[in-house]
Amino acid sequence: GYGESDDFPTVNPYQAARAGMEDLFVSLFSSSGSALVCSTYVGGESNDRGQAIVFDSLGRALVAGRTSSNGYPTANPYQASRGSSGDYINNVALTKISASGSALVFSTYLGGDGSSDAWAVALDSADALYLTGMTAAPDFPTLNPYQASLASPSYGDIFLAKLTTDASALLFSTYLGGSIEEIAYDLDFDSAGQACIFGNTFSLDFPTLNPYQASNGGAEWIEDAILAKFSTSGSALIYSTFLGGADHDYGRGLRIDSEGRAFVAGWTLSSDFPTRDGFQPSLASAGKEDAYLTVFAASGSAVSYSTYFGGSQVEYGLGLRIGSGND
């Protein structure tokens, strides 16, 4: 996460003291929850936020987020410095911390001259790194892209980037977006190693392919959720679809099951949000958001289950996990 406290608890830290206004932090608790195994700040002179975390097979924490610091700590970086001279323009921060918490394995910027945020990080079966989020940088690093240029310089597009295990090189990197704004908040893989991303779009012209829903359910500047799956090369879409009704629909959580189905969660204000065989078939209270859970077929072109989930006030779906038996 991130914090502003000078007395934030640290144990065996790489960085014992806060360096800027907001510093990223990583903390590991004992299995009982009664003790800290390690806890450290990581940051520079400005604002640094941790927004996603995953562990590698050696128990090392891989953290992704954003930084506007010129002095964000780097080690063995793909990109050694922030890609903008402007104040408070974020680059992605990608940092792997040793299992002890006391050293950086690697740490790098990723971005250009426009704000970039990472909201999800994941490791595939070969330990390659995947990042997704949003970038408004026209010079964000791309390689073998599906979409080579920023479609919305004023607002931002989704980015999806794949890096080597040590983050020393890009394997692919692409924009994905339409004329207004897109953000991806989660990512996962199918059994073939194809990356799937889930988030939001304001655009009417977001790229679709083999869609369940071919167009934005609302108007321009009315969010729909969006789900897209890429080929393993990153240079092609397998499918891409809108999900939503006439009002605001937000996409947040994504998991792919063993059959390749995409389970997604978020929240919606739409009374016509697509439902099928739902536990709750309609919005609980007009003008109040409900959470939703939707299950896409492996093709992305059909929905096998979709439900609202809420009460008389406001509910937000921010994430999900799949248990045994696909519960």
Side-chain angles (χ1 to χ4, degrees):
Y2 61 97
E4 300 179 356
S5 298
D6 289 326
D7 57 349
F8 184 82
T10 59
V11 174
N12 194 36
Y14 161 74
Q15 179 181 318
R18 183 169 61 98
M21 292 176 281
E22 298 171 345
D23 271 14
L24 178 157
F25 71 80
V26 181
S27 299
L28 177 66
F29 283 83
S30 64
S31 57
S32 68
S34 61
L36 282 174
V37 177
C38 58
S39 183
T40 186
Y41 282 111
V42 183
E45 79 287 351
S46 189
N47 292 314
D48 316 286
R49 294 187 176 187
Q51 298 178 155
I53 189 169
V54 68
F55 285 93
D56 72 7
S57 58
L58 299 177
R60 300 175 298 186
L62 178 64
V63 184
R66 73 187 198 194
T67 179
S68 59
S69 297
N70 291 321
Y72 186 82
T74 60
N76 307 311
Y78 164 75
Q79 179 180 322
S81 59
R82 189 167 65 100
S84 175
S85 60
D87 292 340
Y88 305 113
I89 293 178
N90 299 310
N91 273 197
V92 169
L94 177 64
T95 301
K96 180 178 277 192
I97 298 174
S98 65
S100 69
S102 60
L104 298 182
V105 179
F106 64 74
S107 187
T108 186
Y109 294 91
L110 184 67
D113 193 14
S115 282
S116 305
D117 279 62
W119 286 100
V121 61
L123 296 169
D124 70 8
S125 58
D127 273 346
L129 308 175
Y130 284 75
L131 287 166
T132 195
M134 183 278 292
T135 182
D139 55 346
F140 190 88
T142 59
L143 182 68
N144 303 320
Y146 164 74
Q147 179 181 319
S149 59
L150 186 66
S152 178
S154 298
Y155 303 104
D157 285 355
I158 288 168
F159 75 85
L160 176 65
K162 180 181 180 181
L163 294 92
T164 54
T165 302
D166 62 2
S168 63
L170 281 177
L171 297 175
F172 73 72
S173 181
T174 185
Y175 296 98
L176 181 66
S179 56
I180 305 184
E181 181 181 86
E182 286 78 28
I183 304 175
Y185 286 103
D186 210 351
L187 73 93
D188 200 9
F189 308 100
D190 66 11
S191 59
Q194 298 173 135
C196 199
I197 60 174
F198 188 54
N200 295 343
T201 182
F202 285 98
S203 302
L204 299 181
D205 58 349
F206 181 80
T208 60
L209 181 69
N210 305 318
Y212 163 70
Q213 182 180 321
S215 58
N216 193 315
E220 195 169 69
W221 285 109
I222 302 294
E223 294 104 323
D224 257 19
I226 47 94
L227 175 69
K229 181 183 281 189
F230 282 84
S231 66
T232 54
S233 69
S235 60
L237 284 173
I238 307 300
Y239 66 73
S240 180
T241 184
F242 290 92
L243 176 66
D247 214 321
H248 295 277
D249 312 284
Y250 304 86
R252 284 298 186 272
L254 163 70
R255 280 299 177 268
I256 308 295
D257 74 358
S258 58
E259 299 174 21
R261 299 180 299 175
F263 288 63
V264 299
W267 67 94
T268 179
L269 266 171
S270 297
S271 59
D272 59 344
F273 185 85
T275 59
R276 181 173 181 180
D277 299 330
F279 166 77
Q280 180 186 320
S282 60
L283 194 66
S285 181
K288 301 286 180 67
E289 293 97 334
D290 276 0
Y292 66 80
L293 172 67
T294 300
V295 182
F296 282 85
S299 66
S301 60
V303 161
S304 58
Y305 179 83
S306 187
T307 187
Y308 294 94
F309 189 55
S312 58
Q313 295 299 316
V314 172
E315 285 80 30
Y316 301 128
L318 297 175
L320 77 159
R321 293 294 185 270
I322 299 173
S324 60
N326 287 337
D327 293 331

